Amino acid sequence: MDEGRVADAARHFDILLRVHPETRVLDGLFAIMESREQGRAELARRLGTQSLWTDAYLRAEGQDAAILRERAAFLTRNAAAIPLGCARIDPLVRELARRNYRADAQALQRAQCSGASSGQLLADPAFDKLGEDALFGGRRHGSGGVRIAAVGGAVELANRTSVTRLVLSQPVALEAGEYRAFASVAGSQSDTLLASLDCGQPERPSQAGGALARGQLLRAKGCEDEVFGIWLRPGSGAVTLDNVRLQRVGQGD
């Protein structure tokens, strides 16, 4: 590599991969290739065509956190030159999310998955992935007396209990600061939906920031495990929810 013989270096690297596919020495050699223009080109060519290289490069389980994050950042920046697709980066994305590096995981997913939402603070604003095994999709929180159902591209909610209940949530990666949560809400009791932003587990919000249908004010703490929650007050009727979004206070659409 120092002499500019990148192709020769890659061939030797290939031998190491075959003989010692799990040695930590490989991490240093990958880093050298990432740092040089010719090395990046060779790395892109081999990652795109050889599973031996991608298996070693995208190995996530048991990997050092710093290497995971650096590798994800590299693949995010170079997604156009190294288009691996959702399936191949999925183990890396899942491991990042499992360790609560959600911002890294979401950035990588957006860059490498052609169908991922771009520019959205919520990964699943319409709750299209509700009930699926989606890392960043919407999650149901059903309980006795609470109804949560997908209806015509929206979510219908009803709360027949006597207390405010958590009905939906999804993980988010937000910088610390103030945000407004908006949504399209239909029904006779549109002000019964409230939103929350918390670290770890959603907590029942106060009513000081308004209601979701009118643009509720929230504060993000900037934690790694931040969760956006939607809560429904008690009521006799149902409400329909769609097009949920978050907007940083002081920034336009």
mmCIF file of all heavy atoms in Angstrom, residues 66-107:
data_model
loop_
_atom_site.group_PDB
_atom_site.id
_atom_site.type_symbol
_atom_site.label_atom_id
_atom_site.label_comp_id
_atom_site.label_asym_id
_atom_site.label_seq_id
_atom_site.Cartn_x
_atom_site.Cartn_y
_atom_site.Cartn_z
ATOM 1 N N ALA A 66 -16.075 1.113 18.402
ATOM 2 C CA ALA A 66 -15.471 2.193 17.608
ATOM 3 C C ALA A 66 -15.323 1.776 16.148
ATOM 4 O O ALA A 66 -15.582 2.567 15.229
ATOM 5 C CB ALA A 66 -14.115 2.575 18.192
ATOM 6 N N ILE A 67 -14.928 0.530 15.918
ATOM 7 C CA ILE A 67 -14.781 0.028 14.543
ATOM 8 C C ILE A 67 -16.142 -0.062 13.864
ATOM 9 O O ILE A 67 -16.300 0.301 12.689
ATOM 10 C CB ILE A 67 -14.064 -1.333 14.542
ATOM 11 C CG1 ILE A 67 -12.616 -1.155 14.981
ATOM 12 C CG2 ILE A 67 -14.129 -1.985 13.162
ATOM 13 C CD1 ILE A 67 -11.856 -2.449 15.165
ATOM 14 N N LEU A 68 -17.159 -0.531 14.587
ATOM 15 C CA LEU A 68 -18.510 -0.595 14.036
ATOM 16 C C LEU A 68 -18.960 0.775 13.554
ATOM 17 O O LEU A 68 -19.483 0.927 12.442
ATOM 18 C CB LEU A 68 -19.496 -1.095 15.092
ATOM 19 C CG LEU A 68 -19.675 -2.587 15.297
ATOM 20 C CD1 LEU A 68 -20.729 -2.810 16.376
ATOM 21 C CD2 LEU A 68 -20.076 -3.292 14.022
ATOM 22 N N ARG A 69 -18.756 1.788 14.392
ATOM 23 C CA ARG A 69 -19.228 3.129 14.062
ATOM 24 C C ARG A 69 -18.427 3.740 12.917
ATOM 25 O O ARG A 69 -18.986 4.402 12.041
ATOM 26 C CB ARG A 69 -19.171 4.013 15.298
ATOM 27 C CG ARG A 69 -20.032 3.512 16.449
ATOM 28 C CD ARG A 69 -20.054 4.479 17.605
ATOM 29 N NE ARG A 69 -20.840 5.664 17.266
ATOM 30 C CZ ARG A 69 -20.921 6.732 18.043
ATOM 31 N NH1 ARG A 69 -20.253 6.766 19.200
ATOM 32 N NH2 ARG A 69 -21.657 7.769 17.698
ATOM 33 N N GLU A 70 -17.115 3.512 12.916
ATOM 34 C CA GLU A 70 -16.280 4.037 11.832
ATOM 35 C C GLU A 70 -16.654 3.383 10.502
ATOM 36 O O GLU A 70 -16.719 4.044 9.462
ATOM 37 C CB GLU A 70 -14.807 3.788 12.150
ATOM 38 C CG GLU A 70 -14.274 4.665 13.287
ATOM 39 C CD GLU A 70 -12.924 4.183 13.788
ATOM 40 O OE1 GLU A 70 -12.381 3.220 13.206
ATOM 41 O OE2 GLU A 70 -12.430 4.760 14.781
ATOM 42 N N ARG A 71 -16.902 2.081 10.542
ATOM 43 C CA ARG A 71 -17.255 1.354 9.322
ATOM 44 C C ARG A 71 -18.615 1.811 8.800
ATOM 45 O O ARG A 71 -18.811 1.972 7.594
ATOM 46 C CB ARG A 71 -17.244 -0.143 9.609
ATOM 47 C CG ARG A 71 -16.935 -0.993 8.400
ATOM 48 C CD ARG A 71 -16.313 -2.294 8.820
ATOM 49 N NE ARG A 71 -14.921 -2.151 9.169
ATOM 50 C CZ ARG A 71 -14.145 -3.117 9.643
ATOM 51 N NH1 ARG A 71 -14.648 -4.321 9.814
ATOM 52 N NH2 ARG A 71 -12.882 -2.895 9.939
ATOM 53 N N ALA A 72 -19.558 2.009 9.720
ATOM 54 C CA ALA A 72 -20.877 2.499 9.312
ATOM 55 C C ALA A 72 -20.782 3.889 8.709
ATOM 56 O O ALA A 72 -21.435 4.185 7.694
ATOM 57 C CB ALA A 72 -21.815 2.514 10.522
ATOM 58 N N ALA A 73 -19.956 4.752 9.306
ATOM 59 C CA ALA A 73 -19.788 6.103 8.769
ATOM 60 C C ALA A 73 -19.163 6.058 7.378
ATOM 61 O O ALA A 73 -19.556 6.815 6.478
ATOM 62 C CB ALA A 73 -18.920 6.933 9.713
ATOM 63 N N PHE A 74 -18.205 5.164 7.177
ATOM 64 C CA PHE A 74 -17.559 5.026 5.865
ATOM 65 C C PHE A 74 -18.573 4.580 4.817
ATOM 66 O O PHE A 74 -18.627 5.133 3.710
ATOM 67 C CB PHE A 74 -16.414 4.020 5.964
ATOM 68 C CG PHE A 74 -15.770 3.698 4.644
ATOM 69 C CD1 PHE A 74 -14.868 4.576 4.059
ATOM 70 C CD2 PHE A 74 -16.070 2.523 3.972
ATOM 71 C CE1 PHE A 74 -14.278 4.290 2.836
ATOM 72 C CE2 PHE A 74 -15.491 2.223 2.750
ATOM 73 C CZ PHE A 74 -14.589 3.109 2.179
ATOM 74 N N LEU A 75 -19.395 3.589 5.144
ATOM 75 C CA LEU A 75 -20.383 3.084 4.191
ATOM 76 C C LEU A 75 -21.509 4.092 3.954
ATOM 77 O O LEU A 75 -22.122 4.100 2.887
ATOM 78 C CB LEU A 75 -20.971 1.767 4.690
ATOM 79 C CG LEU A 75 -20.001 0.580 4.682
ATOM 80 C CD1 LEU A 75 -20.648 -0.637 5.343
ATOM 81 C CD2 LEU A 75 -19.554 0.244 3.265
ATOM 82 N N THR A 76 -21.762 4.937 4.934
ATOM 83 C CA THR A 76 -22.763 5.994 4.759
ATOM 84 C C THR A 76 -22.242 7.061 3.800
ATOM 85 O O THR A 76 -22.935 7.475 2.868
ATOM 86 C CB THR A 76 -23.119 6.630 6.111
ATOM 87 O OG1 THR A 76 -23.667 5.627 6.982
ATOM 88 C CG2 THR A 76 -24.135 7.745 5.951
ATOM 89 N N ARG A 77 -20.995 7.491 4.014
ATOM 90 C CA ARG A 77 -20.401 8.532 3.148
ATOM 91 C C ARG A 77 -20.207 8.041 1.725
ATOM 92 O O ARG A 77 -20.293 8.821 0.776
ATOM 93 C CB ARG A 77 -19.037 8.966 3.708
ATOM 94 C CG ARG A 77 -19.078 9.737 4.999
ATOM 95 C CD ARG A 77 -17.722 10.367 5.281
ATOM 96 N NE ARG A 77 -16.632 9.397 5.249
ATOM 97 C CZ ARG A 77 -16.208 8.716 6.300
ATOM 98 N NH1 ARG A 77 -16.804 8.884 7.476
ATOM 99 N NH2 ARG A 77 -15.208 7.861 6.196
ATOM 100 N N ASN A 78 -19.931 6.756 1.564
ATOM 101 C CA ASN A 78 -19.570 6.209 0.258
ATOM 102 C C ASN A 78 -20.644 5.296 -0.322
ATOM 103 O O ASN A 78 -20.348 4.388 -1.093
ATOM 104 C CB ASN A 78 -18.236 5.447 0.372
ATOM 105 C CG ASN A 78 -17.082 6.358 0.726
ATOM 106 O OD1 ASN A 78 -16.495 7.003 -0.132
ATOM 107 N ND2 ASN A 78 -16.749 6.411 2.008
ATOM 108 N N ALA A 79 -21.893 5.561 0.044
ATOM 109 C CA ALA A 79 -22.980 4.689 -0.406
ATOM 110 C C ALA A 79 -23.121 4.675 -1.929
ATOM 111 O O ALA A 79 -23.472 3.644 -2.506
ATOM 112 C CB ALA A 79 -24.289 5.132 0.237
ATOM 113 N N ALA A 80 -22.834 5.799 -2.577
ATOM 114 C CA ALA A 80 -22.966 5.845 -4.037
ATOM 115 C C ALA A 80 -21.925 4.954 -4.712
ATOM 116 O O ALA A 80 -22.211 4.295 -5.717
ATOM 117 C CB ALA A 80 -22.828 7.285 -4.534
ATOM 118 N N ALA A 81 -20.710 4.926 -4.168
ATOM 119 C CA ALA A 81 -19.630 4.127 -4.753
ATOM 120 C C ALA A 81 -19.682 2.672 -4.285
ATOM 121 O O ALA A 81 -19.208 1.773 -4.986
ATOM 122 C CB ALA A 81 -18.274 4.733 -4.397
ATOM 123 N N ILE A 82 -20.245 2.446 -3.091
ATOM 124 C CA ILE A 82 -20.320 1.091 -2.534
ATOM 125 C C ILE A 82 -21.765 0.803 -2.162
ATOM 126 O O ILE A 82 -22.151 0.796 -0.986
ATOM 127 C CB ILE A 82 -19.405 0.938 -1.301
ATOM 128 C CG1 ILE A 82 -18.004 1.462 -1.584
ATOM 129 C CG2 ILE A 82 -19.316 -0.523 -0.869
ATOM 130 C CD1 ILE A 82 -17.085 1.442 -0.392
ATOM 131 N N PRO A 83 -22.632 0.563 -3.141
ATOM 132 C CA PRO A 83 -24.051 0.288 -2.853
ATOM 133 C C PRO A 83 -24.265 -1.178 -2.475
ATOM 134 O O PRO A 83 -24.355 -2.040 -3.333
ATOM 135 C CB PRO A 83 -24.734 0.634 -4.183
ATOM 136 C CG PRO A 83 -23.697 0.359 -5.229
ATOM 137 C CD PRO A 83 -22.353 0.612 -4.593
ATOM 138 N N LEU A 84 -24.343 -1.457 -1.200
ATOM 139 C CA LEU A 84 -24.463 -2.840 -0.733
ATOM 140 C C LEU A 84 -25.917 -3.286 -0.594
ATOM 141 O O LEU A 84 -26.211 -4.475 -0.653
ATOM 142 C CB LEU A 84 -23.744 -3.006 0.608
ATOM 143 C CG LEU A 84 -22.231 -2.746 0.581
ATOM 144 C CD1 LEU A 84 -21.662 -2.865 1.985
ATOM 145 C CD2 LEU A 84 -21.541 -3.730 -0.353
ATOM 146 N N GLY A 85 -26.824 -2.352 -0.376
ATOM 147 C CA GLY A 85 -28.232 -2.712 -0.228
ATOM 148 C C GLY A 85 -28.603 -3.083 1.194
ATOM 149 O O GLY A 85 -27.736 -3.334 2.042
ATOM 150 N N CYS A 86 -29.903 -3.119 1.460
ATOM 151 C CA CYS A 86 -30.413 -3.335 2.821
ATOM 152 C C CYS A 86 -30.015 -4.678 3.422
ATOM 153 O O CYS A 86 -29.625 -4.756 4.583
ATOM 154 C CB CYS A 86 -31.935 -3.227 2.818
ATOM 155 S SG CYS A 86 -32.545 -1.556 2.631
ATOM 156 N N ALA A 87 -30.152 -5.737 2.648
ATOM 157 C CA ALA A 87 -29.949 -7.076 3.207
ATOM 158 C C ALA A 87 -28.528 -7.263 3.715
ATOM 159 O O ALA A 87 -28.310 -7.850 4.783
ATOM 160 C CB ALA A 87 -30.276 -8.135 2.155
ATOM 161 N N ARG A 88 -27.547 -6.757 2.981
ATOM 162 C CA ARG A 88 -26.153 -7.011 3.361
ATOM 163 C C ARG A 88 -25.706 -6.169 4.553
ATOM 164 O O ARG A 88 -24.847 -6.586 5.337
ATOM 165 C CB ARG A 88 -25.245 -6.769 2.152
ATOM 166 C CG ARG A 88 -25.545 -7.750 1.020
ATOM 167 C CD ARG A 88 -24.823 -7.386 -0.245
ATOM 168 N NE ARG A 88 -23.469 -7.890 -0.266
ATOM 169 C CZ ARG A 88 -22.617 -7.671 -1.272
ATOM 170 N NH1 ARG A 88 -22.991 -6.947 -2.309
ATOM 171 N NH2 ARG A 88 -21.402 -8.167 -1.228
ATOM 172 N N ILE A 89 -26.273 -4.980 4.691
ATOM 173 C CA ILE A 89 -25.869 -4.144 5.834
ATOM 174 C C ILE A 89 -26.747 -4.397 7.056
ATOM 175 O O ILE A 89 -26.470 -3.849 8.128
ATOM 176 C CB ILE A 89 -25.922 -2.644 5.482
ATOM 177 C CG1 ILE A 89 -27.365 -2.235 5.144
ATOM 178 C CG2 ILE A 89 -24.953 -2.303 4.361
ATOM 179 C CD1 ILE A 89 -27.640 -0.775 5.291
ATOM 180 N N ASP A 90 -27.779 -5.210 6.936
ATOM 181 C CA ASP A 90 -28.730 -5.399 8.023
ATOM 182 C C ASP A 90 -28.073 -5.840 9.339
ATOM 183 O O ASP A 90 -28.408 -5.302 10.392
ATOM 184 C CB ASP A 90 -29.804 -6.403 7.608
ATOM 185 C CG ASP A 90 -30.908 -6.515 8.641
ATOM 186 O OD1 ASP A 90 -31.660 -5.537 8.797
ATOM 187 O OD2 ASP A 90 -31.010 -7.572 9.300
ATOM 188 N N PRO A 91 -27.122 -6.810 9.333
ATOM 189 C CA PRO A 91 -26.491 -7.177 10.614
ATOM 190 C C PRO A 91 -25.776 -6.002 11.270
ATOM 191 O O PRO A 91 -25.831 -5.849 12.495
ATOM 192 C CB PRO A 91 -25.494 -8.272 10.203
ATOM 193 C CG PRO A 91 -26.053 -8.839 8.953
ATOM 194 C CD PRO A 91 -26.670 -7.676 8.224
ATOM 195 N N LEU A 92 -25.124 -5.165 10.465
ATOM 196 C CA LEU A 92 -24.415 -4.007 11.011
ATOM 197 C C LEU A 92 -25.409 -2.987 11.571
ATOM 198 O O LEU A 92 -25.212 -2.448 12.673
ATOM 199 C CB LEU A 92 -23.547 -3.377 9.914
ATOM 200 C CG LEU A 92 -22.674 -2.185 10.294
ATOM 201 C CD1 LEU A 92 -21.784 -2.503 11.477
ATOM 202 C CD2 LEU A 92 -21.823 -1.761 9.094
ATOM 203 N N VAL A 93 -26.480 -2.747 10.841
ATOM 204 C CA VAL A 93 -27.502 -1.809 11.302
ATOM 205 C C VAL A 93 -28.127 -2.302 12.608
ATOM 206 O O VAL A 93 -28.303 -1.536 13.567
ATOM 207 C CB VAL A 93 -28.586 -1.619 10.219
ATOM 208 C CG1 VAL A 93 -29.778 -0.847 10.776
ATOM 209 C CG2 VAL A 93 -28.013 -0.888 9.008
ATOM 210 N N ARG A 94 -28.456 -3.583 12.665
ATOM 211 C CA ARG A 94 -29.097 -4.143 13.862
ATOM 212 C C ARG A 94 -28.165 -4.103 15.078
ATOM 213 O O ARG A 94 -28.599 -3.828 16.200
ATOM 214 C CB ARG A 94 -29.567 -5.572 13.595
ATOM 215 C CG ARG A 94 -30.775 -5.643 12.684
ATOM 216 C CD ARG A 94 -31.287 -7.060 12.485
ATOM 217 N NE ARG A 94 -32.470 -7.051 11.639
ATOM 218 C CZ ARG A 94 -33.696 -6.840 12.095
ATOM 219 N NH1 ARG A 94 -33.900 -6.653 13.386
ATOM 220 N NH2 ARG A 94 -34.726 -6.828 11.272
ATOM 221 N N GLU A 95 -26.890 -4.372 14.858
ATOM 222 C CA GLU A 95 -25.959 -4.358 15.983
ATOM 223 C C GLU A 95 -25.754 -2.932 16.490
ATOM 224 O O GLU A 95 -25.659 -2.705 17.710
ATOM 225 C CB GLU A 95 -24.622 -4.971 15.559
ATOM 226 C CG GLU A 95 -23.621 -5.144 16.690
ATOM 227 C CD GLU A 95 -24.059 -6.124 17.767
ATOM 228 O OE1 GLU A 95 -25.025 -6.889 17.546
ATOM 229 O OE2 GLU A 95 -23.427 -6.127 18.845
ATOM 230 N N LEU A 96 -25.675 -1.966 15.599
ATOM 231 C CA LEU A 96 -25.575 -0.569 16.009
ATOM 232 C C LEU A 96 -26.806 -0.159 16.819
ATOM 233 O O LEU A 96 -26.689 0.494 17.861
ATOM 234 C CB LEU A 96 -25.427 0.338 14.784
ATOM 235 C CG LEU A 96 -24.069 0.328 14.092
ATOM 236 C CD1 LEU A 96 -24.179 0.949 12.707
ATOM 237 C CD2 LEU A 96 -23.014 1.074 14.916
ATOM 238 N N ALA A 97 -27.973 -0.551 16.338
ATOM 239 C CA ALA A 97 -29.208 -0.207 17.045
ATOM 240 C C ALA A 97 -29.272 -0.907 18.403
ATOM 241 O O ALA A 97 -29.703 -0.315 19.395
ATOM 242 C CB ALA A 97 -30.415 -0.578 16.195
ATOM 243 N N ARG A 98 -28.830 -2.159 18.452
ATOM 244 C CA ARG A 98 -28.841 -2.910 19.712
ATOM 245 C C ARG A 98 -27.967 -2.244 20.767
ATOM 246 O O ARG A 98 -28.290 -2.247 21.961
ATOM 247 C CB ARG A 98 -28.365 -4.345 19.471
ATOM 248 C CG ARG A 98 -28.531 -5.268 20.671
ATOM 249 C CD ARG A 98 -27.914 -6.621 20.424
ATOM 250 N NE ARG A 98 -26.467 -6.571 20.402
ATOM 251 C CZ ARG A 98 -25.696 -6.522 21.499
ATOM 252 N NH1 ARG A 98 -26.241 -6.516 22.696
ATOM 253 N NH2 ARG A 98 -24.381 -6.490 21.395
ATOM 254 N N ARG A 99 -26.859 -1.632 20.311
ATOM 255 C CA ARG A 99 -25.960 -0.955 21.249
ATOM 256 C C ARG A 99 -26.352 0.512 21.454
ATOM 257 O O ARG A 99 -25.599 1.283 22.060
ATOM 258 C CB ARG A 99 -24.526 -1.035 20.732
ATOM 259 C CG ARG A 99 -24.013 -2.458 20.572
ATOM 260 C CD ARG A 99 -22.529 -2.481 20.339
ATOM 261 N NE ARG A 99 -22.072 -3.755 19.810
ATOM 262 C CZ ARG A 99 -20.784 -4.075 19.664
ATOM 263 N NH1 ARG A 99 -19.843 -3.206 19.991
ATOM 264 N NH2 ARG A 99 -20.445 -5.250 19.158
ATOM 265 N N ASN A 100 -27.516 0.888 20.940
ATOM 266 C CA ASN A 100 -28.071 2.233 21.090
ATOM 267 C C ASN A 100 -27.328 3.305 20.293
ATOM 268 O O ASN A 100 -27.454 4.490 20.598
ATOM 269 C CB ASN A 100 -28.148 2.656 22.563
ATOM 270 C CG ASN A 100 -29.342 2.033 23.267
ATOM 271 O OD1 ASN A 100 -30.352 1.749 22.638
ATOM 272 N ND2 ASN A 100 -29.219 1.802 24.553
ATOM 273 N N TYR A 101 -26.610 2.911 19.231
ATOM 274 C CA TYR A 101 -26.050 3.889 18.303
ATOM 275 C C TYR A 101 -27.073 4.078 17.172
ATOM 276 O O TYR A 101 -26.841 3.736 16.016
ATOM 277 C CB TYR A 101 -24.703 3.406 17.750
ATOM 278 C CG TYR A 101 -23.635 3.279 18.809
ATOM 279 C CD1 TYR A 101 -23.063 2.037 19.096
ATOM 280 C CD2 TYR A 101 -23.217 4.385 19.542
ATOM 281 C CE1 TYR A 101 -22.089 1.909 20.077
ATOM 282 C CE2 TYR A 101 -22.248 4.263 20.535
ATOM 283 C CZ TYR A 101 -21.693 3.025 20.792
ATOM 284 O OH TYR A 101 -20.732 2.900 21.769
ATOM 285 N N ARG A 102 -28.225 4.616 17.545
ATOM 286 C CA ARG A 102 -29.345 4.674 16.603
ATOM 287 C C ARG A 102 -29.109 5.685 15.489
ATOM 288 O O ARG A 102 -29.540 5.471 14.362
ATOM 289 C CB ARG A 102 -30.627 4.995 17.356
ATOM 290 C CG ARG A 102 -31.079 3.853 18.253
ATOM 291 C CD ARG A 102 -32.362 4.206 18.973
ATOM 292 N NE ARG A 102 -32.772 3.118 19.858
ATOM 293 C CZ ARG A 102 -33.768 3.217 20.716
ATOM 294 N NH1 ARG A 102 -34.457 4.336 20.784
ATOM 295 N NH2 ARG A 102 -34.086 2.195 21.491
ATOM 296 N N ALA A 103 -28.469 6.794 15.814
ATOM 297 C CA ALA A 103 -28.210 7.794 14.773
ATOM 298 C C ALA A 103 -27.321 7.194 13.687
ATOM 299 O O ALA A 103 -27.562 7.385 12.487
ATOM 300 C CB ALA A 103 -27.553 9.036 15.376
ATOM 301 N N ASP A 104 -26.289 6.451 14.087
ATOM 302 C CA ASP A 104 -25.403 5.789 13.126
ATOM 303 C C ASP A 104 -26.175 4.763 12.299
ATOM 304 O O ASP A 104 -26.025 4.681 11.076
ATOM 305 C CB ASP A 104 -24.256 5.078 13.854
ATOM 306 C CG ASP A 104 -23.433 5.994 14.728
ATOM 307 O OD1 ASP A 104 -24.025 6.647 15.604
ATOM 308 O OD2 ASP A 104 -22.216 6.052 14.561
ATOM 309 N N ALA A 105 -27.006 3.977 12.987
ATOM 310 C CA ALA A 105 -27.755 2.927 12.307
ATOM 311 C C ALA A 105 -28.742 3.501 11.305
ATOM 312 O O ALA A 105 -28.856 3.022 10.174
ATOM 313 C CB ALA A 105 -28.494 2.064 13.339
ATOM 314 N N GLN A 106 -29.452 4.554 11.688
ATOM 315 C CA GLN A 106 -30.436 5.142 10.801
ATOM 316 C C GLN A 106 -29.776 5.832 9.608
ATOM 317 O O GLN A 106 -30.276 5.764 8.484
ATOM 318 C CB GLN A 106 -31.324 6.124 11.562
ATOM 319 C CG GLN A 106 -32.324 5.429 12.471
ATOM 320 C CD GLN A 106 -33.263 6.407 13.150
ATOM 321 O OE1 GLN A 106 -33.183 6.622 14.351
ATOM 322 N NE2 GLN A 106 -34.164 7.001 12.396
ATOM 323 N N ALA A 107 -28.644 6.495 9.853
ATOM 324 C CA ALA A 107 -27.937 7.148 8.748
ATOM 325 C C ALA A 107 -27.461 6.120 7.731
ATOM 326 O O ALA A 107 -27.579 6.322 6.515
ATOM 327 C CB ALA A 107 -26.757 7.946 9.290
#
